[in-house]
């Protein structure tokens, strides 16, 4: 029973990570209808940039002889992500307005290739342990009192994710920009006609999802170092999106948790019977079966088709 | 133009149809029947359930209650593709052409249900498949000729002006040689000249091929001129049914519909 | 000026619906085929065959397959790598179990097996659309690769988990294994691809192709004029997977010779083929070839320039290559979202009017 609980908890924690990446997807999809495959690479890129601002063997240290404190490093990285967002809008999106979704999707794969190449050239491609002072190791409290093994870092990640979702929800619901974002999400043309600048909105959305990517990058980086495999996490976020629906923020969170737990439980309990390593495809199968029952996802709305 | 049509027996009978989406009643308890070779109009204000009615007839919506009898076959739930194979063709309120294909290909898809050479022969093409294709091309060319769209045969339909697209859509429906043709606002958004052309086509189709036509139209002048009988819907209920003259003088109809919009029409 | 159809009249529907209606086109294509079949085999060496020609041909065939599904029927698939694996493993099992079986039959049967698998994974397309379907096909990708990696039966329990293509002959010529001559392998691929391309062209301009395009352009309207979505979508999945399966079998047997699922058929294969289709042009047979040539030749050219010409280290060149490929893809999508096939069309149109601007 205890083992099962630990499996579930570790699944939940992995799920939080998936949710974080999926969240970035949902934000961009809502505002621009683009399925941003580069979201995983964003997390990688942000992690790499942050590392180079704050680590002793980073670029920044080489150039100026000192490394930035963590908080300043995060702000600087955020600046980098805003610049990336601006460039993406300026160089890619602006020229692809009104194209079909598949074209936009492919352009984000191109973007992913590009950023990956740039990241490798600028920051090198070896694994980098990111240490920004987040607590490491097992939680003594849970281990002593309940005999449960839970990583402190994972608890922090869960808390951060929760805070992030709340902040985003407030941002979307209460601010002027949030309202504009929702308007754009509903209908580009209508939003334009009431004087909302699509370009500004896109830069903002891509910046926000850059921010989410940064958080995801920090969490993954602290856990297992910043490495190339981080960019593949984008693929893991896809079944999460299917479960939750492409446009739903709570859907991304709950979908991520379900996938995380389902995957872990399946791997531990069903994996040994079929040769293991089913983690790779289980999530997709789960999403697929789910889709057949409910094609619009957990939180999507049922579409009445008209002619 | 000879105008001696023999109105035949009932080809389509709609019996106590009710349709709702969630809690919203789109149609309640609608009954009417359409006779062979007739031009039958469904009119009513926006949101009256006209398009929903057509959608029920060709199986796109499945009404919760009631039955539809077409050519003696009574059914409640039918798949749209099967309804089409039974001989119901239609055009759409918002043009629903296959925008990536040429005019010719669009109309050829109307013949798809009549073709039967399988994948193997299609892949080889030389021989039976080509022969079949050419035979159907000849029929399609007749439709193209009838609708006077020879010049745009090879043009991608996405680039055509609205009026021509509507005509191509009619062509696609006609290519299937239907027994029953459903037209959802065939003249919406057209100028007077285009409307006159479309009226002419509708009457010619009815006349030459003997096709039964059910149409939805907002232009009262057109409806009263070309239809044999009219049914009036309002808020999903049937207000009246009869010849244009009967409907025109029906007090309910005047109150609900004509009385309001008459001034705009004339 | 030189490329004009003036004076060429068509007197039958058959002539009007031929693949190449203009004399100049016929001449051009004929000359191209004569060079490809009659001249190239005499000059081909191992590098040209392996790195470029067979490479392009195999991916052109896979691209054709995916184009049928995505370009003509509008169903996005990210499972191409997995389906290629099905073709490769099916051919491996067939040819090792029945060594006497003619290799062409093996190819066709592998395609058939892949078609069945493809139809199975295509079933969700009846309920789900667009990106939801794309992600569903990812299930096929990961599951199939996992299956071929885990179940020993598929690789005949070889201890390395690799499959190695045994030497096989067609009409007395050795076409697989290390002993096969590059010219024979090239000619074999070329013949297969030519026949399949012609068949694909025939299918897409007939009844079945029209029903696919109708589903692609507006599925509801297609259904309302009598096209059965089940039939159209599953036939697209079947034909597409057949092509991809044959491509996978060629990829493994004739091109690579050995394969191991996690490397040879991973998700990036799927993306690669999808890029071929998009860069080449959705819904264009010619586009599949242009796209394959582009996606194969550009990285090779970039690498040659950087490593041999500019003296980059191989590792650094790889990064720059990935970066440049990414930006080139974006560039092409921006310049012409309808792909190289459309550019080719525009070029022909320009040629027709030349030397006048319009």
């Amino acid at each position: 029973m205890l083992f099962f609980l630990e499996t579930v908890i570790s699944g939940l924690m992995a799920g939080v990570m998936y949710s974080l990446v999926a969240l970035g997807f949902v934000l961009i999809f809502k505002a621009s209808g683009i399925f941003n495959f580069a979201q995983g690479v964003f997390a990688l890129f942000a992690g790499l940039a942050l590392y180079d601002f704050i680590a002793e063997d980073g670029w920044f240290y080489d150039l100026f002889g000192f490394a930035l404190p963590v908080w300043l490093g995060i702000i600087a990285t955020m600046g980098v992500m805003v610049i990336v967002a601006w460039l993406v809008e300026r160089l890619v999106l602006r020229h692809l307005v009104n194209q079909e979704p598949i074209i936009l999707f492919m352009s984000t794969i191109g973007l992913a290739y590009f950023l990956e190449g740039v990241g490798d050239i600028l920051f090198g491609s070896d694994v980098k342990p990111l240490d920004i002072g987040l607590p490491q190791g097992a939680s003594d409290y849970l281990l002593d009192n309940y005999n449960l093994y839970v990583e402190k870092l994972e608890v922090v990640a869960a808390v951060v994710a929760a805070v992030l979702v709340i902040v985003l929800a407030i941002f979307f619901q209460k601010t002027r920009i949030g309202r504009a974002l929702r308007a754009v999400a509903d209908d580009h043309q209508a939003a334009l006609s009431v004087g909302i600048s699509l370009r500004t909105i896109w830069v903002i959305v891509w910046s926000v999802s850059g921010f989410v990517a940064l958080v995801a990058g920090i969490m993954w980086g602290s856990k297992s170092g910043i490495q190339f495999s981080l960019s593949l996490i984008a693929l893991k976020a896809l079944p999460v999106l299917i479960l939750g629906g492409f446009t739903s923020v709570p859907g991304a969170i709950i979908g991520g948790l379900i996938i995380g737990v389902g995957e872990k439980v399946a791997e531990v309990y069903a994996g040994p019977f079929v040769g293991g390593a089913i983690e790779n495809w289980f999530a997709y199968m789960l999403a697929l079966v789910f889709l057949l029952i409910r094609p619009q996802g957990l939180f999507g709305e049922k579409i009445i088709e008209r002619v | 133009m000879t105008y001696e049509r023999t109105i035949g027996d009932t080809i389509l009978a709609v019996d106590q149809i009710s349709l709702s989406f969630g809690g919203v009643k789109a149609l309640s308890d609608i009954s009417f029947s359409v006779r062979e070779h007739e031009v039958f109009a469904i009119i009513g204000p926006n949101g009256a359930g006209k398009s929903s009615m057509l959608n029920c007839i060709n199986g796109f919506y499945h009404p919760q209650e009631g039955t539809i009898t077409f050519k003696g076959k009574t059914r409640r739930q039918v798949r749209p593709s099967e309804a089409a194979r039974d001989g119901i063709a239609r055009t759409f309120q918002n043009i629903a052409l296959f925008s990536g294909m040429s005019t010719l290909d669009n109309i050829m898809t109307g013949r798809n249900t009549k073709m039967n050479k399988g994948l193997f022969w299609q892949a080889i093409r030389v021989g039976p498949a080509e022969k079949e294709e050419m035979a159907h091309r000849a029929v399609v060319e007749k439709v193209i000729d009838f609708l006077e769209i020879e010049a745009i045969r090879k043009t991608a339909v996405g680039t055509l002006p609205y009026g021509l697209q509507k005509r191509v859509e009619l062509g696609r429906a006609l290519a299937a040689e239907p027994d029953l043709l459903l037209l959802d606002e065939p003249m919406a958004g057209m100028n007077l000249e285009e409307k006159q052309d479309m009226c002419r086509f509708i009457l010619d189709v009815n006349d030459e091929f003997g096709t039964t036509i059910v149409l939805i139209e907002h232009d009262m002048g057109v409806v009263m001129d070309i239809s044999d009988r009219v049914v009036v819907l309002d808020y999903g209920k049937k207000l009246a049914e009869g010849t244009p003259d009967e409907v025109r003088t029906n007090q309910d109809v005047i109150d609900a519909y004509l009385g309001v919009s008459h001034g705009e029409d004339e | 000026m030189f490329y004009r159809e003036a004076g060429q009249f068509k007197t039958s529907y058959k002539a009007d619906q031929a693949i190449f209606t203009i004399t100049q086109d016929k001449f051009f294509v004929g000359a191209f085929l004569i060079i490809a079949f009659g001249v190239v085999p005499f000059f081909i060496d191992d590098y040209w065959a392996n790195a470029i020609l067979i490479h392009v041909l195999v991916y052109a065939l896979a691209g054709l397959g995916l184009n049928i599904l995505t370009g003509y029927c509008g169903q996005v698939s990210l499972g191409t790598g997995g389906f290629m694996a099905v073709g490769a493993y099916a051919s491996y099992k067939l040819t090792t179990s029945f060594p006497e079986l003619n290799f062409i039959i093996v190819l066709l049967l592998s395609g058939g097996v892949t078609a069945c698998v493809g139809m199975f994974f295509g079933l969700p397309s009846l309920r789900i659309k667009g990106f939801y379907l794309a992600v569903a096909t990812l299930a096929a990708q990961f599951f199939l690769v996992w299956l071929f990696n885990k179940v020993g039966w598929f690789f005949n329990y070889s201890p390395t988990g690799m499959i190695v293509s045994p030497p096989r002959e067609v009409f007395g010529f050795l076409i697989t294994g290390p002993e096969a001559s590059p010219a024979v392998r090239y000619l074999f691929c070329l013949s297969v691809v030519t026949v399949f391309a012609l068949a694909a062209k025939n299918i897409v301009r007939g009844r079945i192709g029209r029903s696919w395009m109708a589903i692609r352009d507006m599925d509801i309207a297609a259904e309302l004029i009598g096209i059965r979505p089940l039939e159209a979508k599953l036939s697209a999945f079947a034909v597409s997977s057949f092509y991809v399966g044959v491509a996978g079998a060629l990829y493994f047997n004739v091109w690579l010779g050995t394969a191991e699922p996690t490397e040879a058929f991973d998700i990036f294969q799927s993306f690669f083929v999808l890029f071929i289709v998009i860069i080449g042009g959705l819904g264009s047979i010619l586009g599949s070839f242009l796209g394959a040539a582009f996606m194969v030749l550009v990285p090779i050219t970039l690498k040659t320039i950087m490593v041999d010409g500019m003296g980059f280290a191989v590792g650094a060149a790889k990064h720059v290559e990935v970066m440049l490929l990414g930006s080139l893809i974006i560039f092409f999508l921006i310049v012409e979202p309808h792909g190289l096939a459309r550019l080719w069309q525009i070029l022909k149109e320009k040629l027709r009017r030349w030397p006048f601007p319009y």
Side-chain angles (χ1 to χ4, degrees), chain A residues 37 91 95-96 99 102-103 105-107 109-111 113-114 117-118 120-121 238 242 245-246 274-278 281 284-285 288 291-293 295 305 307, chain C residues 76 78 121 124 127-129 131-132 135-136 138-139 142-143 146 150 220 224 267-268 271 274-275 278 282 319-320 322-323 325-327 329-330 333-334 337:
Chain A
F37 184 77
L91 298 176
H95 306 283
L96 286 172
Q99 290 298 343
I102 174 89
I103 303 286
F105 172 60
M106 293 314 278
S107 73
I109 299 184
L111 186 66
Y113 279 21
F114 178 79
V118 171
D120 278 344
I121 294 167
L238 294 179
I242 287 218
F246 282 137
V274 289
I278 62 172
W281 54 266
Y284 294 96
M285 283 294 180
L288 185 57
L291 267 187
L292 291 178
I293 301 163
E305 288 182 289
V307 283
Chain C
V76 183
L78 293 175
F121 281 101
R127 265 183 77 88
I128 52 184
K129 292 171 187 169
F131 281 121
Y132 286 92
V135 179
L138 274 180
F142 288 109
F143 175 74
W146 174 86
K150 285 286 171 201
I220 295 171
L224 291 176
I267 175 81
F268 293 102
F271 285 141
L274 193 55
F275 271 129
I278 301 226
L282 284 167
H319 298 323
V320 178
V322 168
M323 189 185 94
L325 187 64
S327 31
I329 287 167
I330 296 176
L333 290 176
I334 290 172

Side-chain angles (χ1 to χ4, degrees), chain C residues 36-257:
Chain C
F37 275 101
V39 180
V40 173
F42 291 106
F43 297 97
I44 198 167
D45 61 12
D46 249 343
Y47 174 77
W48 271 85
N50 277 342
I52 297 172
L53 292 171
I54 296 182
H55 198 165
V56 171
L57 285 171
V58 166
Y59 277 113
L61 189 59
L64 266 180
L66 185 61
N67 217 334
I68 285 172
L69 186 64
T70 305
Y72 285 98
C73 197
Q75 314 294 310
V76 183
S77 165
L78 293 175
T80 318
F83 293 136
M84 280 174 83
V86 175
Y89 277 79
S91 70
Y92 176 72
K93 283 307 287 185
L94 282 166
T95 198
T96 50
S97 311
F98 310 99
E100 295 308 309
L101 204 58
N102 186 314
F103 192 72
I104 293 178
I105 311 261
V106 171
L107 269 189
L108 295 178
L109 287 178
S110 319
V113 171
T114 317
C116 295
V117 176
M119 280 209 282
F120 176 75
F121 281 101
L123 282 174
S125 68
L126 302 174
R127 265 183 77 88
I128 52 184
K129 292 171 187 169
F131 281 121
Y132 286 92
L133 180 66
V135 179
T137 57
L138 274 180
Q141 167 72 43
F142 288 109
F143 175 74
L144 290 169
V145 168
W146 174 86
L147 188 71
F148 295 131
N149 208 13
K150 285 286 171 201
V151 181
W153 183 78
F154 287 110
F155 46 87
N156 286 352
Y157 304 100
S158 87
T160 52
M162 306 263 288
I163 51 173
V164 180
S165 173
R168 290 287 177 266
E169 290 180 353
V170 171
F171 305 128
F173 293 101
L174 197 63
I175 53 150
T176 64
E179 304 295 314
S181 88
V184 172
R185 290 190 295 141
Y186 160 76
L187 271 180
F188 182 71
C189 283
L190 184 65
S191 316
V192 171
V193 172
T194 310
V195 169
F196 275 86
L198 184 67
K201 184 72 192 173
N202 283 342
I203 294 172
V204 297
R205 66 204 174 114
R207 167 179 72 92
I208 295 172
R210 279 194 299 270
S211 66
W212 291 342
M213 289 188 273
I215 291 279
R216 171 195 69 190
D217 285 347
M218 194 167 271
D219 52 351
I220 295 171
E223 200 179 348
L224 291 176
I225 64 165
I227 291 167
R228 299 191 178 105
L230 176 85
E231 211 175 282
K233 284 181 181 172
L234 286 192
S235 66
F237 265 97
V239 175
S240 158
S241 307
F242 183 90
Y243 273 69
V244 171
V246 172
L250 283 180
Y251 172 81
F252 157 62
N253 289 294
V254 183
W255 188 42
L256 290 180

Side-chain angles (χ1 to χ4, degrees), chain B residues 3 26 57 80 91 97 151 160 180 218 250 256:
Chain B
Y3 219 75
I57 293 175
T91 67
L97 283 170
L160 294 175
L180 176 65
H218 275 299
N250 184 308

Side-chain angles (χ1 to χ4, degrees), chain B residues 82 85 100 117 123 133 137, chain C residues 16 202 207 210 217 226 228:
Chain B
E82 300 315 312
R85 278 157 199 264
K117 290 285 173 288
E133 182 94 0
R137 169 86 191 260
Chain C
D16 188 46
N202 283 342
R207 167 179 72 92
R210 279 194 299 270
D217 285 347
R228 299 191 178 105

Side-chain angles (χ1 to χ4, degrees), chain B residues 9-228:
Chain B
D9 298 333
T10 299
I11 186 170
L12 172 82
V14 173
D15 193 26
Q16 294 180 315
I17 288 286
S18 291
L19 173 77
S20 57
F21 298 107
V24 187
K25 275 225 154 190
L27 296 170
S28 48
D29 209 19
I30 308 276
S31 305
F32 59 81
S33 60
V34 181
R35 292 177 219 139
E36 242 172 301
H37 298 181
E38 200 171 40
V39 176
F40 186 90
I42 302 176
I43 62 172
N46 286 327
K50 306 183 296 294
S51 288
S52 297
M53 192 62 241
L54 287 199
N55 285 340
C56 286
I57 293 175
N58 70 349
F60 186 61
Y61 289 161
H62 293 146
Q64 279 83 8
E65 280 167 50
T67 56
I68 290 170
T69 309
F70 177 63
K71 288 201 290 190
K73 265 196 286 182
T74 301
R75 62 213 167 63
R76 220 167 108 196
Q77 299 227 327
V78 66
R79 301 189 74 81
S81 54
E82 300 315 312
R85 278 157 199 264
D86 279 349
I88 303 180
R90 79 174 278 188
T91 67
F92 303 88
Q93 187 174 358
N94 307 311
I95 293 172
L97 283 170
F98 308 125
S99 53
M101 299 157 76
S102 67
T103 300
L104 180 64
D105 279 342
N106 262 283
I107 301 180
M108 283 293 277
T109 53
R111 302 287 308 168
N112 255 20
T113 53
K114 313 241 181 241
M115 299 167 81
N116 53 22
K117 290 285 173 288
L119 187 64
F120 177 73
W121 292 113
Q122 298 273 337
I124 296 176
R125 187 157 174 117
V126 180
E130 191 161 46
K131 209 171 137 206
E132 182 185 49
E133 182 94 0
M134 294 314 136
H136 287 280
R137 169 86 191 260
V139 178
V140 166
E141 286 294 336
K142 273 196 201 120
V143 174
I144 290 178
D145 187 47
F146 173 76
L147 293 174
E148 298 157 21
I149 47 177
E150 293 93 339
I152 56 164
R153 201 185 273 130
K154 292 280 171 81
T155 318
V157 290
T159 61
L160 294 175
Y162 182 79
L164 279 180
Q165 290 198 7
K166 281 262 180 197
R167 219 185 274 186
V168 175
E169 207 184 11
L170 180 63
R172 187 180 64 190
L174 287 181
E177 296 176 295
D179 299 312
L180 176 65
L181 182 58
L182 310 175
L183 304 173
D184 196 346
E185 300 199 19
M187 284 158 245
M190 286 189 167
N191 62 30
L192 187 63
E193 201 182 334
E194 288 171 326
K195 275 185 191 179
Q196 283 169 346
D197 276 347
M198 193 50 96
C199 283
R200 184 160 56 83
F201 290 134
I202 292 172
L203 289 176
D204 281 356
V205 169
N206 182 253
D207 211 33
E208 286 184 28
F209 306 131
T211 312
T212 313
I213 293 173
V214 173
L215 81 152
I216 293 174
E217 184 49 56
H218 275 299
D219 187 322
M220 277 312 121
V222 169
V223 170
M224 296 303 167
D225 276 354
I226 69 173
S227 42
D228 297 311

Side-chain angles (χ1 to χ4, degrees), chain A residues 113-151:
Chain A
Y113 279 21
F114 178 79
L115 280 179
E116 221 175 276
V118 171
D120 278 344
I121 294 167
L122 285 182
F123 310 118
S125 51
D126 25 304
V127 180
K128 294 177 174 174
L130 186 69
D131 180 13
I132 61 164
L134 291 176
Q136 300 282 350
S139 159
D140 300 327
Y141 174 75
L142 287 174
L143 197 59
D144 294 344
N145 292 336
Y146 301 98
N147 203 17
L148 266 178
Y149 183 87
V150 176
E151 294 252 357

